[in-house]
Amino acid sequence: MADIEPLLQSTGAGEIQTPEPEEQANKSTSTKSKAARVASLDVFRGLCVFLMMLVDYAGSIFPIIAHVPWNGVHLADFVMPFFLFVAGVSVAIVYKKVSNRVDATWKAVLRALELFLLGVFLQGGYFHGINSLTYGVDIERIRFLGILQRIAIGYIVAALCEIWLPCQRWRHDGFPKIYISHWCVVLSLCTIYLGLLYGLYVPNWQFRVVQSPSSLVTANNSHVYTVKCSVRGDLGPACNSAGMIDRYVLGIDHLYAKPVYRNLKECNISSHGQVPQTAPSWCHAPFDPEGILSSLTAAASCIIGLQYGHILVQLQDHKDRLRNWSIFSFAFLGLGLFPVFMGIPLNKSLYTISYLLVTSACSGITFCILYALIDVYGWRWLTCVLEWMGKHSLSIFILITSNIIVVTVQGFYLKSPDNNIVHWIVSLFVHK
């Protein structure tokens, strides 16, 4: 567990040269910098965890903050890019000095593998719901990809870039040199992504839905659906090439069984999460929002965070850091909004280019605000809870993702298993 702390928890090696907060520096006659932890990075990581908890548990009560069914963005759709951004910044700190590239590569691979396997373990779906205290997972239907797996993929790509494609020395005028090799990797990932997304032909496809997965598959307890596509370059939920790649490579049984696009009005989902038989066939199909194709642009998001980390590590002046971060952020925002006007939607499930750029811009702007408030002006007391959550983010993530907290609370009931706090909250707020 300690080996993967640099990814979601405290950066460990994250103590870098950071000027004192302005209100303290004004009282000091010394102009020297001291080695200090960048508290805003821990706060940002804690903010990611807090937002994840907020949208997971309050999203059903307040749909405006939950994931958008397909195109567009809500608050929940910023959580994953924020995690990837913070992971990228942390990579720049962890690998700011690499003495042995081969050894560093092996450590990075092991860390990513540990995080990936931990994600597979936690994504298993062991907790079967608030109406059932049963436990377990069907190996034939276990989900291979997920949140931690995506962070692991982004991390290893960014780490390999940092280890094997070192940057030039920083210019002394407060402006960075362009990391051409890193940006070439980003461009290559985006090019491959666009080529596969728009270039692959998606034929008609079928899938089977088993009403009772624990029993044998028969004609009475299963239904075969056919999705008519025969298109190329479609960005809808039914016929996109991202879903086709996942079905061929991972297998449809190992994808996310309850995709968010079921909340589209075409699917006419009930208040209890059931899709009627009269809904379009694709509404019943699994789809993984952390799939293989979208992981390419997700990795690019992590490399963009890496560039912000370079600025943090190499530049010592607050103004230089904030200036360069702001230039990057607003440039990404402009570049991201342009394809939106050209018809490329903001789509988290496909992790489109416009979504990549806009969310990277928002990540950078958020980091600028946190850095200015906490590390420049010293308002650390305002975010002490988020900072604590950031330093223990992996532990909190495990407790929340695997529903250990929910299971523990639900396990205490009065007279009847249904008479517990969790069931009461859901009945009062969610199924109201």
Side-chain angles (χ1 to χ4, degrees):
M1 187 74 69
D3 288 340
I4 57 179
E5 286 182 356
L7 304 187
L8 280 181
Q9 289 184 269
S10 169
T11 55
E15 294 185 352
I16 62 178
Q17 289 297 117
T18 303
E20 298 179 0
E22 286 188 0
E23 60 183 27
Q24 297 178 3
N26 292 334
K27 299 178 182 179
S28 176
T29 58
S30 174
T31 59
K32 296 182 179 180
S33 298
K34 66 176 183 179
R37 184 179 204 86
V38 183
S40 56
L41 189 58
D42 286 325
V43 172
F44 200 175
R45 191 181 294 108
L47 178 64
C48 296
V49 176
F50 172 76
L51 291 177
M52 180 190 69
M53 296 167 57
L54 177 66
V55 299
D56 281 352
Y57 291 103
S60 56
I61 303 174
F62 306 103
I64 192 63
I65 68 172
H67 288 290
V68 172
W70 196 246
N71 292 330
V73 287
H74 285 171
L75 180 62
D77 300 301
F78 288 95
V79 176
M80 174 58 74
F82 280 7
F83 268 123
L84 292 170
F85 179 89
V86 173
V89 175
S90 300
V91 167
I93 299 175
V94 173
Y95 296 103
K96 60 183 177 180
K97 293 181 180 179
V98 178
S99 56
N100 189 319
R101 292 183 180 180
V102 176
D103 184 59
T105 300
W106 277 111
K107 290 182 178 179
V109 171
L110 289 176
R111 287 171 178 170
L113 184 60
E114 288 178 11
L115 190 65
F116 190 95
L117 294 178
L118 179 62
V120 173
F121 179 80
L122 294 178
Q123 291 289 137
Y126 305 96
F127 178 52
H128 293 167
I130 63 168
N131 296 320
S132 174
L133 292 178
T134 58
Y135 176 91
V137 60
D138 185 355
I139 299 298
E140 292 185 349
R141 296 178 178 272
I142 192 170
R143 185 185 176 197
F144 291 141
L145 299 178
I147 297 175
L148 290 185
Q149 296 93 308
R150 169 151 289 182
I151 296 175
I153 293 172
Y155 162 80
I156 190 59
V157 173
L160 292 177
C161 286
E162 186 69 359
I163 294 170
W164 292 99
L165 301 174
C167 52
Q168 304 92 340
R169 290 185 179 181
W170 212 266
R171 288 165 55 178
H172 296 288
D173 57 4
F175 289 92
K177 285 185 177 181
I178 298 176
Y179 293 77
I180 297 178
S181 55
H182 291 189
W183 291 113
C184 286
V185 174
V186 171
L187 182 60
S188 300
L189 291 173
C190 293
T191 302
I192 296 172
Y193 169 85
L194 291 174
L196 295 175
L197 183 66
Y198 289 98
L200 288 180
Y201 175 79
V202 181
N204 298 340
W205 55 284
Q206 292 183 335
F207 64 98
R208 182 188 297 271
V209 174
V210 181
Q211 303 298 330
S212 180
S214 60
S215 60
L216 295 176
V217 178
T218 64
N220 295 327
N221 72 343
S222 65
H223 191 281
V224 177
Y225 293 92
T226 300
V227 182
K228 296 182 179 181
C229 294
S230 300
V231 294
R232 194 188 308 271
D234 187 84
L235 299 185
C239 300
N240 61 81
S241 60
M244 182 187 69
I245 292 174
D246 291 336
R247 291 191 295 271
Y248 275 112
V249 177
L250 302 176
I252 194 169
D253 290 334
H254 298 288
L255 305 183
Y256 187 49
K258 297 179 180 180
V260 70
Y261 63 61
R262 290 186 175 185
N263 293 322
L264 290 169
K265 62 181 180 180
E266 295 93 326
C267 296
N268 194 27
I269 193 170
S270 68
S271 59
H272 296 284
Q274 300 298 320
V275 180
Q277 292 291 334
T278 56
S281 56
W282 53 266
C283 292
H284 301 269
F287 180 87
D288 209 312
E290 281 81 41
I292 296 174
L293 183 59
S294 59
S295 293
L296 297 178
T297 40
S301 182
C302 203
I303 299 177
I304 290 175
L306 175 63
Q307 309 312 311
Y308 283 77
H310 289 153
I311 295 173
L312 180 64
V313 170
Q314 299 293 341
L315 297 184
Q316 307 304 320
D317 185 70
H318 289 314
K319 293 181 180 179
D320 289 340
R321 289 172 174 174
L322 289 171
R323 179 175 65 248
N324 283 282
W325 287 336
S326 299
I327 292 173
F328 274 160
S329 299
F330 287 102
F332 290 141
L333 184 60
L335 291 173
L337 292 177
F338 177 75
V340 173
F341 295 128
M342 297 299 293
I344 300 178
L346 297 170
N347 189 296
K348 187 260 182 185
S349 297
L350 298 177
Y351 220 107
T352 55
I353 298 297
S354 55
Y355 176 81
L356 160 67
L357 294 171
V358 170
T359 54
S360 295
C362 293
S363 300
I365 293 172
T366 303
F367 188 43
C368 285
I369 295 173
L370 293 176
Y371 181 83
L373 291 176
I374 299 168
D375 292 301
V376 177
Y377 293 106
W379 294 356
R380 195 168 177 175
W381 57 274
L382 288 175
T383 56
C384 58
V385 175
L386 291 178
E387 184 177 353
W388 177 86
M389 293 176 66
K391 292 180 178 179
H392 303 85
S393 55
L394 186 58
S395 300
I396 298 174
F397 187 94
I398 293 174
L399 292 174
I400 298 300
T401 303
S402 58
N403 289 300
I404 294 178
I405 293 179
V406 177
V407 172
T408 302
V409 174
Q410 186 181 8
F412 293 90
Y413 57 85
L414 182 63
K415 296 182 179 180
S416 171
D418 292 337
N419 192 19
N420 60 77
I421 296 177
V422 175
H423 190 273
W424 177 79
I425 293 175
V426 173
S427 301
L428 183 64
F429 295 102
V430 179
H431 294 161
K432 186 176 179 180

